[in-house]
Amino acid sequence: MPDIDSLKESKNYYLDIPAKNEPFFLKGSGALDWGMQNRLSRIFRADTGRTVMLAVDHGYFQGPTSGLERMDVNIVPLLPYADALMLTRGALRSTMPSTFERGIVMRASGGPSILRELSNEQIAVDIEDGIRMNVAAMAVQVFIGAEGETQSIHNMTRLVDAGYRYGIPVLGVTAVGKNMTRDARYFRLACRMCAELGANFVKTYYVEEDFETVTASCPVPIVMAGGKKLPELEALTMAYKAVSEGAAGVDMGRNIFQSEAPVAMIQAVRKVVHELMPPKDAYELYLTLKNEGKK
Ligand code: R5P
């Protein structure tokens, strides 16, 4: 019990100052509940509105892919530079330090391996386990135009329903099958479907032509997937173009952890995403850090 004898009598209600009610900084997220907004702000930085998510979930269908053979050795040193970490619950619990303070984006769909039809996924994590792991979002793959299109959409909408029940945002991840055209028309369709059906943010690939129409026609933030490993300058250029054309950041995997110097690369990516550093300058920074031994 507080000591009521010493209660201070004078009070100031600041009658001349209107009560503040700042709008949430993230596109399409103003009407979300406090818990959802709070979780999204563990992924996206409020000062820039963008994120550098580090995607290391590849093992859920690819096994120990190059760069992810030993996540304790290769990925843990990158964590101080990641705004958010996208991974499976197996990797999180077995390998990642629970002192990580930023957002965990939990891979929540899976099933088939690279040996099978990839679109045949199901929900792979219970929302209660997401809560237990204190995740900032759940990620689900959506295969528009593929054999498992409807099933994958259904996975996402079920996760969205569960997410709203507990205040956990959902990331819709647009998958590209072997026979799908990677153009703005396709990604406009896929991203818009994810958003309309409830995803709170969407991950998609960059396309050289009309990418800004993909971001403009999606009412929630888009983060750019890195895709296959490119030379560092090309990857930095792609990230620069994506954020300049409306992406709210990147969710990059191979272009960081398969780089010759991943710690240097993720720092260069951060400069591009949060400060719009021109790609050539960011590449110079990458080389400097690399030469300093920041591998
Ligand atoms: C793919 O299904 C996973 O979601 C990866 O996290 C995603 O492809 C991003 O990784 P990368 O930048 O290597 O393409």
Side-chain angles (χ1 to χ4, degrees):
M1 270 296 275
D3 176 4
I4 54 171
D5 291 340
S6 61
L7 280 185
K8 203 174 163 193
E9 274 310 312
S10 68
K11 299 179 198 291
N12 188 346
Y13 294 99
Y14 299 99
L15 300 180
D16 55 332
I17 302 177
K20 278 189 192 146
N21 188 11
E22 302 284 345
F24 192 59
F25 65 93
L26 215 53
K27 182 182 181 183
S29 309
L32 297 178
D33 185 68
W34 195 94
M36 281 243 184
Q37 292 185 351
N38 179 263
R39 285 189 170 92
L40 286 167
S41 69
R42 275 155 44 194
I43 299 167
F44 295 89
R45 263 173 50 177
D47 59 339
T48 64
R50 302 197 190 107
T51 184
V52 173
M53 278 172 63
L54 178 62
V56 293
D57 59 328
H58 307 56
Y60 92 97
F61 70 106
Q62 286 185 311
T65 196
S66 307
L68 296 182
E69 301 90 337
R70 282 287 302 274
M71 292 171 74
D72 56 331
V73 175
N74 298 328
I75 301 304
V76 172
L78 303 177
L79 298 188
Y81 310 102
D83 297 315
L85 186 60
M86 180 185 186
L87 79 178
T88 61
R89 61 176 158 184
L92 182 78
R93 283 203 169 97
S94 62
T95 314
M96 297 301 151
S98 54
T99 46
F100 184 68
E101 287 177 352
R102 296 292 300 161
I104 293 297
V105 179
M106 181 57 54
R107 155 65 57 184
S109 64
S113 73
I114 38 170
L115 308 176
R116 301 279 175 190
E117 169 55 43
L118 286 175
S119 68
N120 188 25
E121 284 194 349
Q122 300 202 351
I123 292 179
V125 177
D126 194 290
I127 193 83
E128 283 180 10
D129 206 30
I131 296 166
R132 205 173 287 121
M133 291 178 283
N134 196 23
V135 303
M138 308 273 269
V140 56
Q141 205 89 356
V142 172
F143 296 82
I144 305 299
E147 216 174 292
E149 175 184 88
T150 301
Q151 180 181 319
S152 69
I153 284 282
H154 190 51
N155 291 340
M156 188 184 77
T157 51
R158 277 166 55 210
L159 213 57
V160 166
D161 284 333
Y164 274 112
R165 207 169 297 135
Y166 298 106
I168 299 188
V170 168
L171 168 64
V173 181
T174 63
V176 186
K178 287 189 201 102
N179 305 320
M180 290 177 202
T181 327
R182 288 186 183 213
D183 61 12
R185 191 176 179 202
Y186 173 78
F187 289 124
R188 279 195 302 265
L189 169 72
C191 294
R192 182 63 175 262
M193 282 182 71
C194 286
E196 296 263 356
L197 290 164
N200 304 105
F201 58 125
V202 178
K203 168 171 168 169
T204 198
Y205 290 91
Y206 181 73
V207 284
E208 285 291 338
E209 216 168 299
D210 297 335
F211 183 72
E212 67 278 11
T213 65
V214 179
T215 55
S217 58
C218 182
V220 296
I222 282 190
V223 288
M224 184 205 78
K228 68 173 196 289
K229 173 76 175 72
L230 301 169
E232 278 75 7
L233 178 57
E234 280 179 41
L236 292 166
T237 304
M238 183 171 71
Y240 181 84
K241 286 183 184 170
V243 292
S244 305
E245 293 165 27
V250 300
D251 184 14
M252 254 185 186
R254 287 163 288 177
N255 277 296
I256 292 175
F257 64 70
Q258 289 180 352
S259 163
E260 266 182 59
V263 173
M265 184 59 179
I266 194 170
Q267 290 181 78
V269 172
R270 284 185 76 77
K271 285 283 180 188
V272 169
V273 169
H274 289 301
E275 298 174 29
L276 276 178
M277 180 182 269
K280 279 191 179 151
D281 296 352
Y283 183 61
E284 284 303 317
L285 173 71
Y286 162 75
L287 291 177
T288 306
L289 293 171
K290 184 183 164 197
N291 291 336
E292 283 171 5
K294 296 231 164 67
K295 293 223 161 164

